[in-house]
Amino acid sequence: MHVLEPGDPRRMGDFTLIGRLGAGGMGQVFLGRSAGGRAAAVKVVKAALAEVPEFRARFRLEVAALHRVGGEWTAPVLGADTEAAVPWVATEYVPGPSLHQVVESGFGPLPETTLHALAGRLARALRAIHGAGLVHRDLKPSNILLTVDGPRIIDFGIARAVDTVAGSLRTSTGVVLGSPGFMSPEQVRGQRVTPAADMFSLGSVLMYAATGRLPFGSPELGLHALMFRIAEEEPDLTGVPQTLTGLVTACLAKDPQLRPTAEQLAVHTSTDADGPWLPAELLAELGRLAARMLTVETPPQGSPAPTRSKWRWRPVLAVVGVLAAVATGTALALYDDGAEDRAAGGAPSTTASASPSAPPSAERGIPGEFVGAWEGVLEGDSDLPKRVLRLEIAPGRPGDKVAAYIDTDGAAQCTGRSKLVSADADTLVVGRGQVTAGVPQGHCTPLSPQTLAVRSRDVLVWKSGGLTADFYRSAGGREAVPDQYVGTWVPANETYREKELIRIAQGPVGGRLVRMSVTAGMDDGTEQYCDSTFVIGAVSPVLALSPATYTAESGKGCRQADAVFFTLARNGHLLLYSMAADAEPAEYVRKS
């Protein structure tokens, strides 16, 4: 933090400003403190932007949207005044270094367990942001702060407000719409930006956190060369742990339609780590940082704040448990919404590790035999399935959401989660499902309670809603698609060879990894072009796909297609069946 300078405001709304935290294209960021002592990052808009009606109107909408985010892994809005002569917004001050500071310092890339927890928690933060109608547009390591209980994404939503007036203010105010090393291909090309752009940036962020490098090279090699590689070349993922390669690859797909959504990643990634999610050395520094924040004094009116150095990594050896307790305690004292209620004798707030619904430790958790990915055919058979269900069961205790599922039939694909009801050595019972996503939207109902019994090491007997099926162990992780499916396919019939194209990418189940392009003749002699994508819902014994979602470039005559599944013939050809009909399969060969 740096001292306030002459001309800096000393107060914005109910917040007394203590010092300068930094500056950006939008304006200056100050450290502030509320009347109750709560620390805040107060962002004050530049005068040039405040005078532009289009910016102020969009800023008003963005602040309203930011209030709706309130995500567990974002910094919530504490106050704002969009109508003031100098507009401002105050968000919770996050007591932690940025991901960029940690990786670029003596600590370096993060360990694998931390990377997995980081991926899951960032996916949930983006889910909250996108659910509020926002696109971050500038997700990068310096906008991700690391705290004891997880990462926090900051500065989301503002880029879109700046974009409104970028044409007239880009050169005069220094506005930059995205950081080159973490931009998506559509941003590089100046095309329409959607939430999928944030998912591409997430892939680059995870690559950086794992290796300290960028997937398309350093900006120091030349801005134009870097942007060309982002738009046209494949990423270099050397050094990324194998367990994360599939996820990063899926996020870095050139086609936005082929990237997983934040919802899909949130469902299929874990936020848990074995013990503290951060290494001991980093926890120690966070504890000292939070303690220093407690000693920052509010300067007298008209006086500058004392100078404080920026966060800097210093390796230390310490006892993890003690340091984690110190860091957590100081963070709660400064930033927990429920701290004042607890001090007054109110009910404590809940956390993942101390929930009022969590059972005593003596209650039985899930036996290891059940943990993992399972798939079964609920209707039809393995040769011609009509409905396929995939379950991914995680460790947990009664009351925990332990079962993530993807239910694919001819009309819809539904994704959801179920809580554990009970478990013993041979039987697992999960409750009624909670729908989290569906293709198409509005066609899903919650899955009935499910019972799973062990038949053998790799077979479970599944029962639910009057249905019974055998479930078999399936591939999980970020490279779940069988390699023999991956690639580009064209019709075996040469007459249609130039009319259809199927591309199947490697990635996790739940990813939008299949794209089909078809040009069909119409009755009036014209041709209709349809470009569609599919979400993979299961990978064995068949590749089960969601109903099609048509891309923006598809023709208006493209109809909603049924869910389909792929199998491989003995000759290696790809066979495509409809899950809603008994029609003969369409046959495809690898494109030469």
Side-chain angles (χ1 to χ4, degrees):
M1 185 178 74
H2 299 280
V3 298
L4 295 174
E5 297 180 358
D8 283 344
R10 266 36 183 188
R11 190 173 188 85
M12 301 301 293
D14 294 331
F15 296 90
T16 300
L17 304 188
I18 300 172
R20 284 177 161 235
L21 291 175
M26 184 184 120
Q28 184 70 45
V29 183
F30 299 93
L31 177 64
R33 180 168 287 159
S34 70
R38 190 173 187 183
V42 183
K43 304 172 187 180
V44 180
V45 172
K46 286 182 176 180
L49 287 173
E51 294 175 357
V52 180
E54 292 86 353
F55 174 84
R56 187 181 287 269
R58 179 58 68 88
F59 181 67
R60 187 181 301 117
L61 294 175
E62 296 296 347
V63 170
L66 292 175
H67 277 288
R68 297 198 305 270
V69 174
E72 185 176 356
W73 292 295
T74 60
V77 175
L78 305 180
D81 189 346
T82 60
E83 310 307 319
V86 179
W88 60 274
V89 57
T91 58
E92 178 184 62
Y93 178 76
V94 179
S98 71
L99 176 60
H100 173 80
Q101 289 171 309
V102 170
V103 174
E104 289 297 314
S105 69
F107 186 83
L110 301 178
E112 190 169 349
T113 54
T114 298
L115 290 170
H116 281 281
L118 178 69
R121 297 176 189 211
L122 289 179
R124 284 153 179 79
L126 287 174
R127 178 174 61 182
I129 293 169
H130 296 165
L134 295 171
V135 182
H136 192 295
R137 299 190 177 206
D138 197 20
L139 185 68
K140 57 185 178 181
S142 60
N143 279 337
I144 298 169
L145 305 184
L146 305 184
T147 73
V148 172
D149 58 347
R152 298 290 188 274
I153 294 180
I154 61 173
D155 287 343
F156 51 89
I158 301 304
R160 192 196 309 186
V162 174
D163 193 25
T164 304
V165 292
S168 59
L169 296 178
R170 185 188 302 269
T171 56
S172 61
T173 65
V175 172
V176 177
L177 303 181
S179 299
F182 299 91
M183 291 171 68
S184 65
E186 52 268 34
Q187 286 175 290
V188 168
R189 297 182 181 120
Q191 298 170 338
R192 178 173 175 266
V193 174
T194 68
D198 288 345
M199 303 311 295
F200 190 94
S201 299
L202 176 60
S204 297
V205 165
L206 293 175
M207 163 80 178
Y208 174 83
T211 67
R213 299 183 296 103
L214 300 181
F216 299 97
S218 171
E220 297 176 357
L221 299 178
L223 179 60
H224 293 293
L226 173 62
M227 297 176 78
F228 174 83
R229 289 194 293 270
I230 290 173
E232 303 296 338
E233 296 184 359
E234 294 303 311
D236 176 8
L237 301 186
T238 303
V240 176
Q242 185 176 2
T243 55
L244 276 171
T245 301
L247 184 153
V248 174
T249 300
C251 287
L252 293 177
K254 301 296 185 190
D255 185 347
Q257 295 289 337
L258 295 181
R259 297 171 203 153
T261 65
E263 173 66 33
Q264 290 166 343
L265 282 191
V267 170
H268 294 287
T269 54
S270 173
T271 61
D272 300 324
D274 185 11
W277 86 285
L278 291 174
E281 299 96 326
L282 188 50
L283 284 172
E285 184 64 26
L286 291 178
R288 284 191 291 272
L289 175 65
R292 286 198 299 270
M293 284 302 304
L294 289 173
T295 66
V296 176
E297 298 180 357
T298 302
Q301 192 71 19
S303 301
T307 301
R308 300 273 177 177
S309 62
K310 294 183 178 180
W311 187 89
R312 184 175 303 166
W313 171 254
R314 293 194 300 268
V316 263
L317 298 176
V319 180
V320 175
V322 173
L323 292 170
V326 171
T328 303
T330 53
L332 285 175
L334 277 173
Y335 308 109
D336 184 9
D337 285 330
E340 294 180 1
D341 292 337
R342 287 193 293 275
S349 65
T350 61
T351 67
S353 60
S355 169
S357 62
S361 58
E363 292 194 23
R364 185 183 296 274
I366 293 180
E369 291 83 354
F370 290 99
V371 175
W374 302 84
E375 292 181 358
V377 177
L378 305 189
E379 299 176 21
D381 55 41
S382 59
D383 292 327
L384 289 172
K386 300 297 182 182
R387 183 182 178 189
V388 178
L389 181 68
R390 177 181 173 91
L391 289 172
E392 293 192 5
I393 300 175
R397 295 185 176 277
D400 294 343
K401 291 182 179 179
V402 297
Y405 67 83
I406 304 180
D407 188 359
T408 307
D409 63 21
Q413 183 182 84
C414 304
T415 300
R417 297 186 71 87
S418 299
K419 293 182 179 180
L420 178 63
V421 175
S422 64
D424 58 32
D426 300 314
T427 305
L428 191 73
V429 179
V430 296
R432 179 179 172 87
Q434 177 185 8
V435 175
T436 57
V439 180
Q441 294 183 355
H443 287 66
C444 295
T445 57
L447 195 64
S448 299
Q450 307 166 67
T451 300
L452 299 105
V454 174
R455 172 176 290 175
S456 66
R457 176 180 176 83
D458 295 317
V459 183
L460 299 178
V461 178
W462 176 93
K463 295 182 180 181
S464 177
L467 296 173
T468 300
D470 288 343
F471 273 52
Y472 300 87
R473 284 198 178 274
S474 181
R478 307 307 157 198
E479 296 184 357
V481 179
D483 290 337
Q484 57 266 37
Y485 287 103
V486 176
T488 302
W489 302 82
V490 293
N493 187 329
E494 293 187 5
T495 302
Y496 304 103
R497 189 69 55 88
E498 303 301 323
K499 300 293 185 180
E500 296 184 41
L501 191 72
I502 295 176
R503 292 182 290 266
I504 304 175
Q506 181 58 269
V509 176
R512 192 173 291 277
L513 304 176
V514 179
R515 183 163 188 166
M516 181 184 297
S517 302
V518 178
T519 301
M522 308 298 289
D523 293 338
D524 60 2
T526 62
E527 289 189 334
Q528 173 72 62
Y529 175 73
C530 297
D531 191 72
S532 54
T533 61
F534 303 80
V535 175
I536 293 182
V539 294
S540 61
V542 298
L543 207 65
L545 309 182
S546 69
T549 298
Y550 289 98
T551 61
E553 60 265 31
S554 294
K556 295 181 179 179
C558 300
R559 67 176 183 86
Q560 177 65 55
D562 298 321
V564 298
F565 66 89
F566 290 141
T567 62
L568 290 172
R570 291 184 178 179
N571 60 3
H573 290 189
L574 183 73
L575 303 179
L576 183 154
Y577 296 81
S578 169
M579 297 185 73
D582 295 327
E584 289 296 313
E587 188 172 352
Y588 298 83
V589 297
R590 287 192 178 276
K591 185 178 180 181
S592 58

